[in-house]
Amino acid sequence: MKSFTIRTKSVEESRIVCRAGILRTTLVRALADYREVFFFSDRNVWELYGRKIGRAYRNSPVHIMPAGEAHKTPETLFKLLAAMAEAQLHRGACLVCLGGGVVGDVGGLAAALYMRGIDCIQIPTTLLAQVDSSVGGKTAVDFAGVKNLIGAFRQPRYVFADPTFFATLPPREVRCGLGEIVKHGALHAPLFDMLWENRGRLTDGDFLAAIVPENIAFKAEVVRQDADEKGLRKCLNLGHTTAHAFELTDGKLSHGEYVLVGMIFEAELAKKFAGGDAAYLDDLEDLCRIALGSVPALPPAREAARLARLDKKNAVSDEVVLTVPVRKGEYKLLSLGFDVYAAELERIQRALTEGGAAC
Ligand code: NAD
Ligand code: GLY
């Protein structure tokens, strides 16, 4: 078992425990402190794991949302809040969120809003949710066509990360989590070495069980230093400007797959414009390709570039700001004029296609 504690400047404290079998013992012990417990999950996850919880908490209310990003909406949030109000939860209650990043983001926001904030326990069941979304207190729903437009920072009381949930995870969801894992590797040299040494077994269950706590430790340290994203935490946007641009253009891949694609493009930009170490960046690109399986079909780069121009990280409208990898464990902020960025994305896409990958 490994555990970490995040103490931020505020009074909140978040304890993260990584171990197998958390539903049996760890959760029961944590909930012993609460007189009122409310469970929140999505349909897929509850079907798989709800019975295990039901046995121990037969009398606790449960609210189930439909699965998927399309339901990460204010309507889903308000249905959950209404169910919590109907259950007459008091301020001392605890909301337990069992699911992937969608359940965690919606539930985390409901816990932040209900009576101005009640305790929340995150039990992330996807790889992405364990290494990224459950850690750090970002919560949100999508609104007016914009991802995560309405949200709050509020640290969960506990995060319980259990690798046994991966046994039922579809391969695509594993690839999705690998996107954020390789991103952490691009920011933290020891993680990169672990990934590179094990590049032949990235999806192996034992390897995932070992790499998840390392990822959580890295992210927890970033959050400890900068919980409300004023500075350091922005490094976690590495690869994401180009990833979001492709994601917004066609949305056919998962978020993590776009992150892997975004890192390949931004590693190429770093070689040319940020003095990046070419040999290291080639290895990083190889890791992304291995995690992806193969480089998938992408929409035209110029269309994607147009959307990157609207990214909220840009200081002015005719430039695009990127967090790019440059050397092992090092990143840089790179500003490119829009025309240069668009032409470069097209060049890189052509090169990838000619290299045999269907971009
Ligand atoms: P998700 O929550 O939609 O889960 C993906 C699918 O897997 C769903 O159909 C779900 O029902 C199913 N599933 C979950 N656990 C399972 C299991 N153990 N076995 C079988 N099926 C299972 O998607 P996700 O990738 O976990 O999360 C994506 C969301 O996370 C996005 O909304 C994104 O914005 C958010 N996110 C938030 C942060 C943050 O800091 N708060 C960071 C990254 C991503
Ligand atoms: N997923 C990026 C962050 O938590 O800041």
Side-chain angles (χ1 to χ4, degrees), residues 42 44 69 72 100-102 105 125-126 133 138 147 165 168:
D42 76 23
N44 297 338
E69 182 74 26
K72 196 176 136 180
V102 168
D105 277 12
T125 58
T126 62
S133 62
K138 276 190 184 177
K147 248 180 90 82
F165 289 118
T168 52

Side-chain angles (χ1 to χ4, degrees), residues 42 44-45 48-49 67-69 72 99-103 105 125-126 128-129 132-135 137-139 142 147-148 165-166 168-170 173 176 180 219 233 255:
D42 76 23
N44 297 338
V45 175
L48 287 164
Y49 299 103
E69 182 74 26
K72 196 176 136 180
V102 168
V103 164
D105 277 12
T125 58
T126 62
L128 176 136
D132 191 1
S133 62
S134 64
V135 177
K138 276 190 184 177
T139 71
D142 305 334
K147 248 180 90 82
N148 300 327
F165 289 118
F166 302 153
T168 52
L169 211 53
E173 297 303 335
C176 179
E180 303 296 348
K219 182 162 180 191
R233 189 166 178 174
H255 173 70

Side-chain angles (χ1 to χ4, degrees), residues 132-133 135-138 153 180 183-184 219 222-223 226-227 229 233-234 236-237 240 255:
D132 191 1
S133 62
V135 177
K138 276 190 184 177
F153 284 100
E180 303 296 348
K183 178 196 79 179
H184 289 161
K219 182 162 180 191
V222 172
V223 173
D226 181 22
E229 200 174 292
R233 189 166 178 174
K234 290 184 184 164
L236 300 176
N237 292 324
H240 277 57
H255 173 70

Side-chain angles (χ1 to χ4, degrees), residues 43-83:
R43 229 164 256 152
N44 297 338
V45 175
W46 196 254
E47 209 148 277
L48 287 164
Y49 299 103
R51 210 172 313 136
K52 279 194 182 163
I53 289 197
R55 255 183 245 132
Y57 296 96
R58 211 160 276 132
N59 298 321
S60 297
V62 180
H63 184 75
I64 309 291
M65 67 172 280
E69 182 74 26
H71 301 282
K72 196 176 136 180
T73 58
E75 289 73 26
T76 303
L77 171 72
F78 277 99
K79 278 187 188 158
L80 169 58
L81 288 167

